[in-house]
Amino acid sequence: MHKLGLMINSLILIMTFYCSMLFAEVSHVSINSRQFDLNQVPSLKVNFISKHKDLNQFYFTIKQGSGQHAVELTLAASRINPYLIHLHGDTKVTDNHATLSVSIFRNADWVQIATLPIFDAPKSNNSAALTSSLQQHQTQLKSKKAVETNNAMHPLVKETSPLVDIMQLPAMIPNCYVERSDTETLWKIANRYKAQWNTNVYGAMLALFEANQKAFSKQRIHLLRQDASLNCPAAHILAQYHDVSVDRHTFEVLQAKHAGF
């Protein structure tokens, strides 16, 4: 009996260690917003912070129904920025209790790391597709050879989207610096620039962080260095932040994550 107890405790420790390793690879997953309603095809923005840039490491599905009526819908994924991805499918979601499932490919199998209720997420009418501002930047890009995807692992993950090219643009405008004093907070700086950048205070803070990560201690959004200079965020960065409710949610999620370290 004693040996059985030791074996059970050992298995628990091994599983705990294994799970902690998986979650270290993906430090945060949450639904930023959804661009669809019940009985429509799914389109979601998902806050996704991982050490892996390659989305082929992950498998995204929507699970709806239960028992013999359970259905799993596979979603295609593409990056919007290093912290945000777009998921979409071509089959209608008919269950208001449907969940988003996120799995990672490990040891020749898919291991589930997150399950999130979809219709608890805030609705946004702003599409996750490229805005006209972003499309203008595409004319400045050189043609690039398409990145080959690992179809054997997950054929619907798309890394050849124009969004990948947008991500390769500089996050800041060269030789353009934000005016600030050593005592100003990130909020105060963003509040001063939000109108000029045609965004809101949360969007301005997120854009400043994305364009100036080295200006933040340990790359945490609440730890702006007093003596650091700040570059102006590029237009394609600012264009992502145009919905105050969604931007506020993204900021609060990121702030809570960083504060929890």
Side-chain angles (χ1 to χ4, degrees):
M1 194 71 180
H2 178 67
K3 289 183 178 180
L4 180 60
L6 288 174
M7 289 177 62
I8 292 173
N9 288 334
S10 298
L11 287 172
I12 292 173
L13 287 173
I14 291 170
M15 290 301 298
T16 302
F17 177 71
Y18 182 64
C19 290
S20 65
M21 288 179 62
L22 292 179
F23 282 101
E25 296 184 61
V26 181
S27 55
H28 179 78
V29 183
S30 65
I31 299 177
N32 178 291
S33 62
R34 56 185 172 86
Q35 287 78 48
F36 76 104
D37 287 313
L38 194 65
N39 297 316
Q40 293 180 343
V41 294
S43 178
L44 298 164
K45 286 182 181 178
V46 175
N47 303 307
F48 194 74
I49 303 175
S50 167
K51 72 176 186 179
H52 299 292
K53 294 183 179 179
D54 183 8
L55 291 179
N56 286 301
Q57 295 281 341
F58 305 97
Y59 186 51
F60 304 93
T61 61
I62 287 178
K63 296 182 178 180
Q64 59 177 343
S66 59
Q68 62 179 354
H69 301 293
V71 177
E72 185 174 87
L73 313 176
T74 302
L75 301 176
S78 57
R79 286 196 180 275
I80 298 175
N81 64 41
Y83 312 106
L84 197 64
I85 62 176
H86 178 216
L87 303 178
H88 63 91
D90 55 10
T91 303
K92 293 181 180 180
V93 178
T94 57
D95 180 4
N96 58 2
H97 297 295
T99 58
L100 170 67
S101 176
V102 182
S103 301
I104 188 169
F105 192 76
R106 286 294 173 269
N107 298 324
D109 199 4
W110 292 104
V111 180
Q112 184 173 292
I113 57 174
T115 302
L116 306 168
I118 291 174
F119 290 100
D120 286 355
K123 172 75 184 298
S124 171
N125 292 322
N126 292 315
S127 171
L130 293 174
T131 65
S132 58
S133 176
L134 293 180
Q135 290 168 341
Q136 291 173 4
H137 280 280
Q138 293 184 60
T139 60
Q140 302 171 9
L141 295 171
K142 295 180 180 180
S143 60
K144 298 178 182 292
K145 185 178 180 180
V147 178
E148 294 183 0
T149 58
N150 188 343
N151 292 328
M153 184 178 294
H154 185 15
L156 289 182
V157 172
K158 299 177 181 178
E159 289 290 355
T160 57
S161 163
L163 289 169
V164 176
D165 290 335
I166 292 297
M167 287 174 61
Q168 295 174 5
L169 288 170
M172 75 288 289
I173 301 174
N175 303 317
C176 177
Y177 298 96
V178 172
E179 295 182 5
R180 60 164 299 196
S181 68
D182 291 345
T183 59
E184 279 189 307
T185 63
L186 178 63
W187 177 279
K188 189 170 183 179
I189 298 168
N191 200 48
R192 189 170 69 251
Y193 276 90
K194 64 182 182 181
Q196 178 180 333
W197 292 343
N198 194 31
T199 185
N200 55 80
V201 65
Y202 299 101
M205 287 192 291
L206 290 167
L208 281 167
F209 176 69
E210 191 169 339
N212 298 277
Q213 290 193 34
K214 291 183 179 179
F216 294 80
S217 179
K218 301 179 181 178
Q219 295 188 341
R220 301 179 189 177
I221 199 167
H222 62 293
L223 297 178
L224 176 63
R225 299 181 187 274
Q226 290 187 342
D227 58 346
S229 59
L230 296 174
N231 293 89
C232 304
H236 69 281
I237 298 296
L238 291 168
Q240 301 168 21
Y241 305 113
H242 46 76
D243 186 316
V244 63
S245 61
V246 173
D247 296 343
R248 178 176 180 174
H249 180 72
T250 303
F251 174 80
E252 290 176 346
V253 167
L254 190 61
Q255 186 181 48
K257 173 191 176 296
H258 289 180
F261 283 156

